Amino acid sequence: MRSTFRTTDTATALATATAAAPVSSEPQETRRRIPVVVHTLDPLSRSGVLSQLRGHPVIDLVDDTEVRPGTVAVLVGDTPDEPLLSALRRLVRSEGARAVLVVSMIRETELLDVIECGVGAIVWRQEATAHRLAQAVLAASRGDGDLPADLLGRLINQVGTLQRSVAGRTGAPLSGLVPREIDVLRLVAEGMDTGEIASKLSYSERTVKNVMHGLTTRLHLRNRAHAVAYALREGYI
């Protein structure tokens, strides 16, 4: 089971992208070719991920030398150790890639660091089927977040602990979010897609997308998961 931070009609788009539907029936963004690079120190893991993704109708597998902004980097390891995190920072911050992390486990102390490094989607290695990897790649390519449900719960608990530790401080949380942005982020954190958020708040879907784009750009947040983590950390949601 997993939880998503979605700002497009993700459920429909993911199902369409992984099914053998006619090209004309697919949403425009699932027809766009997505460059994907696989990074791991384990050659067997690399071969396995390449085999799972090869042949997908919208994924182009590229070499490290071909990474450019918008490329999705799939990083594979047992845990997010320092070599993996260093590669993650380089690919996201220097190369402009969007990241999918495939690991066996993440410690409590690593969770916020991983998200704030720019990871948009996380997949447990034991769940890394071709379908699941493709879902994560598609979500990351849109700038959406895609986290396992148990990780989302741990993230919320961890940030709650941080909030309680500073409860004695005076003053409001750091400025940065307006009420409309908080309302949208709260529903994103609950896993609602753009259409559901728009309906809930009586906004247009374009307005919801503009709200998310505006706050992530203004606050220099790397993706939707990072935006939710920021809002949780600062006590907005």
Side-chain angles (χ1 to χ4, degrees), residues 151-210:
L151 273 189
L152 179 58
R154 285 165 54 190
L155 175 62
I156 292 171
N157 289 337
Q158 185 175 351
V159 175
T161 299
L162 289 173
Q163 291 170 353
R164 289 189 294 273
S165 72
V166 297
R169 296 182 183 177
T170 59
L174 291 177
S175 61
L177 296 180
V178 299
R180 182 168 68 170
E181 293 170 335
I182 296 169
D183 290 341
V184 170
L185 273 179
R186 184 176 291 114
L187 298 180
V188 171
E190 292 177 6
M192 292 189 182
D193 62 31
T194 301
E196 291 168 334
I197 295 171
S199 176
K200 183 79 171 179
L201 299 178
S202 299
Y203 294 159
S204 68
E205 293 191 19
R206 180 175 295 276
T207 295
V208 174
K209 293 177 182 179
N210 288 342

Side-chain angles (χ1 to χ4, degrees), residues 48-212:
V49 173
L50 289 173
S51 175
Q52 297 277 52
L53 295 177
R54 186 174 289 115
H56 190 280
V58 301
I59 290 176
D60 283 329
L61 297 172
V62 301
D63 295 327
D64 288 340
T65 57
E66 300 177 76
V67 175
R68 61 184 186 273
T71 298
V72 176
V74 179
L75 299 98
V76 186
D78 289 326
T79 63
D81 55 18
E82 189 51 41
L84 196 64
L85 288 177
S86 295
L88 171 62
R89 295 185 190 102
R90 173 181 60 82
L91 288 163
V92 172
R93 298 177 183 177
S94 300
E95 307 294 341
R98 294 173 172 175
V100 173
L101 188 63
V102 182
V103 290
S104 298
M105 64 173 291
I106 298 178
R107 299 178 182 88
E108 297 292 336
T109 54
E110 299 166 333
L111 185 51
L112 275 177
D113 288 339
V114 163
I115 290 177
E116 292 183 345
C117 278
V119 170
I122 298 174
V123 178
W124 295 130
R125 290 189 69 157
Q126 63 269 27
E127 298 176 358
T129 62
H131 179 70
R132 182 69 188 91
L133 287 171
Q135 286 181 322
V137 166
L138 288 167
S141 74
R142 296 184 183 95
D144 295 343
D146 187 344
L147 301 182
D150 57 330
L151 273 189
L152 179 58
R154 285 165 54 190
L155 175 62
I156 292 171
N157 289 337
Q158 185 175 351
V159 175
T161 299
L162 289 173
Q163 291 170 353
R164 289 189 294 273
S165 72
V166 297
R169 296 182 183 177
T170 59
L174 291 177
S175 61
L177 296 180
V178 299
R180 182 168 68 170
E181 293 170 335
I182 296 169
D183 290 341
V184 170
L185 273 179
R186 184 176 291 114
L187 298 180
V188 171
E190 292 177 6
M192 292 189 182
D193 62 31
T194 301
E196 291 168 334
I197 295 171
S199 176
K200 183 79 171 179
L201 299 178
S202 299
Y203 294 159
S204 68
E205 293 191 19
R206 180 175 295 276
T207 295
V208 174
K209 293 177 182 179
N210 288 342
V211 168
M212 287 302 305

